[in-house]
Amino acid sequence: MCMSAEASFGAGLFLSITGAASVKRAENSSQILFASVPLIFAVQQIVEGFVWLSFTNPAYMLWREYAVFGFLFFAQVIWPSWLPASILIMEKEKKPVRILQVLSVLGLIVSAYAAYCLFAYQTHARAENYHIRYYIDLPPSVIRDKGLLYMTVTLAPLFISTTKRMWMFALSILLSYIFTKLFFNDYIISVWCFFAAVSSGMVYYILQDKQKLKIVYSAE
């Protein structure tokens, strides 16, 4: 598998179109956060495209530090709070709401700590073997615990949600994580984010299905 600036910019373009269509399809304000997921991934992939350019084009070298920080901000800070919150406010069933509320609060804590780490510790990246390897100079034990919490707050809400087809989105992200962990562990932040970004195109179909259900209920 070969990642490149072209792959990142191509994914960004695809997700920009998908994200705009998803936001347009959202039937009410409670779905806007979730509908915006592809758009956020689009920006994240475009930013990584500039990280790639900083390694391949000397004209962009001075922008590397900012591009690396920007990509990690999306990957580490935005998603732990955005995903659980977007699932929570869209949830219609009372039973999962309490769990989603707990996960949303935990997500905010994870995001806040991740933001602290980005500012308090050095971050950098290297291009090797056609992939980008991101570094945050944290102790190994902190990386492990932080990673476990990150996985919990980003994946659990998707599986808990009662929205139809959401489990398919959750499963695609989980399987892509397992695949990346097994075969691209040194580049997991970059490669997994790429797979998750592409998977977020499913958001459009999830919202499409919700709109169909609304039409059926209205007819009844």
Side-chain angles (χ1 to χ4, degrees):
M1 181 180 297
C2 174
M3 300 295 182
S4 63
E6 291 78 10
S8 294
F9 287 132
L13 177 60
F14 164 74
L15 292 169
S16 295
I17 296 171
T18 305
S22 297
V23 171
K24 185 177 179 180
R25 183 164 289 278
E27 61 189 34
N28 54 58
S29 59
S30 68
Q31 295 179 2
I32 293 297
L33 282 184
F34 183 68
S36 300
V37 166
L39 284 177
I40 300 175
F41 267 124
V43 177
Q44 181 178 330
Q45 286 302 304
I46 290 170
V47 170
E48 187 168 46
F50 284 102
V51 177
W52 273 111
L53 288 179
S54 74
F55 289 111
T56 59
N57 189 329
Y60 291 90
M61 189 178 300
L62 294 176
W63 293 92
R64 182 183 303 164
E65 181 180 350
Y66 302 103
V68 168
F69 184 89
F71 177 83
L72 289 175
F73 187 85
F74 277 98
Q76 301 283 304
V77 179
I78 297 295
W79 293 121
S81 53
W82 192 283
L83 277 177
S86 68
I87 300 300
L88 171 61
I89 65 174
M90 196 169 61
E91 183 59 51
K92 301 301 181 184
E93 301 293 332
K94 293 183 179 180
K95 190 174 181 179
V97 165
R98 187 163 295 180
I99 300 175
L100 290 171
Q101 288 174 335
V102 173
L103 289 172
S104 294
V105 172
L106 183 59
L108 288 172
I109 295 173
V110 173
S111 289
Y113 182 68
Y116 163 76
C117 290
L118 286 182
F119 284 101
Y121 296 88
Q122 288 190 340
T123 61
H124 57 284
R126 289 174 55 189
E128 52 187 43
N129 300 321
Y130 303 105
H131 298 289
I132 295 178
R133 187 171 184 175
Y134 292 95
Y135 296 87
I136 304 176
D137 295 333
L138 295 170
S141 59
V142 174
I143 293 176
R144 182 187 64 248
D145 295 341
K146 180 168 163 285
L148 180 61
L149 288 173
Y150 183 98
M151 291 291 294
T152 300
V153 299
T154 54
L155 280 176
L158 300 178
F159 281 106
I160 292 171
S161 172
T162 61
T163 298
K164 191 176 181 181
R165 295 184 182 176
M166 189 68 76
W167 68 271
M168 297 172 64
F169 183 34
L171 186 61
S172 67
I173 294 179
L174 176 60
L175 291 177
S176 66
Y177 172 79
I178 294 173
F179 177 80
T180 306
K181 185 71 175 177
L182 289 175
F183 299 102
F184 302 98
N185 186 54
D186 289 339
Y187 317 102
I188 194 165
I189 295 178
S190 176
V191 177
W192 185 38
C193 280
F194 181 83
F195 285 138
V198 174
S199 296
S200 73
M202 296 177 65
V203 167
Y204 176 83
Y205 295 101
I206 293 171
L207 294 175
Q208 182 183 46
D209 193 69
K210 286 182 71 65
Q211 192 174 71
K212 287 180 180 178
L213 286 176
K214 182 181 179 182
I215 293 173
V216 171
Y217 290 146
S218 299
E220 292 177 349

